[in-house]
Amino acid sequence: MYFVMDNSVAEIQVKVYFFAKARELTGKKECYITVPQKLLYVDLLDKIISQFKLESIRDTSVLAVNEEFVASDTTLVLSEKDEVAVIPPLSGGLSCF
């Protein structure tokens, strides 16, 4: 009897787009980041917030994957071609998530 233990998690690159205040704070329109292929929404948000120093808009920003908003309790399974958008409120509106 033998056991196959594969604790590795595939990492991929996804394109991240920054909108409104996120673009202003990062000075970037888009870039690529490396993330685990499978991760929680909050883990993806935390990685983007910390990597790009967006703490000031963390509580008001939402993420969209491939042009669809994602609920904050979602487990994401991403692929290399996926696009993630960081969207803070455009004019101080309330977040839906």
Side-chain angles (χ1 to χ4, degrees), residues 39-47 58 72-74:
L39 74 166
L40 298 173
Y41 171 97
V42 294
D43 293 335
L44 178 57
L45 180 63
D46 286 345
K47 179 171 180 66
R58 186 199 195 295
S72 61
D73 61 351
T74 301

Side-chain angles (χ1 to χ4, degrees), residues 31-56:
C31 70
Y32 285 90
I33 64 168
T34 301
V35 296
Q37 184 176 18
K38 182 177 181 180
L39 74 166
L40 298 173
Y41 171 97
V42 294
D43 293 335
L44 178 57
L45 180 63
D46 286 345
K47 179 171 180 66
I48 292 170
I49 295 298
S50 65
Q51 186 168 335
F52 297 100
K53 300 180 181 14
L54 296 173
E55 289 82 6
S56 65

Side-chain angles (χ1 to χ4, degrees), residues 4-81:
V4 176
M5 295 182 66
D6 183 6
N7 293 329
S8 64
V9 175
E11 290 203 334
I12 58 167
Q13 282 197 331
V14 294
K15 186 182 265 189
V16 179
Y17 291 93
F18 300 99
F19 292 92
K21 186 70 173 177
R23 184 179 294 179
E24 180 183 317
L25 291 170
T26 63
K28 299 175 185 258
K29 177 182 177 184
E30 63 189 54
C31 70
Y32 285 90
I33 64 168
T34 301
V35 296
Q37 184 176 18
K38 182 177 181 180
L39 74 166
L40 298 173
Y41 171 97
V42 294
D43 293 335
L44 178 57
L45 180 63
D46 286 345
K47 179 171 180 66
I48 292 170
I49 295 298
S50 65
Q51 186 168 335
F52 297 100
K53 300 180 181 14
L54 296 173
E55 289 82 6
S56 65
I57 60 169
R58 186 199 195 295
D59 294 335
T60 57
S61 294
V62 294
L63 299 179
V65 175
N66 299 326
E67 300 181 4
E68 292 190 25
F69 287 105
V70 180
S72 61
D73 61 351
T74 301
T75 298
L76 302 166
V77 180
L78 302 172
S79 66
E80 291 277 346
K81 65 182 184 288

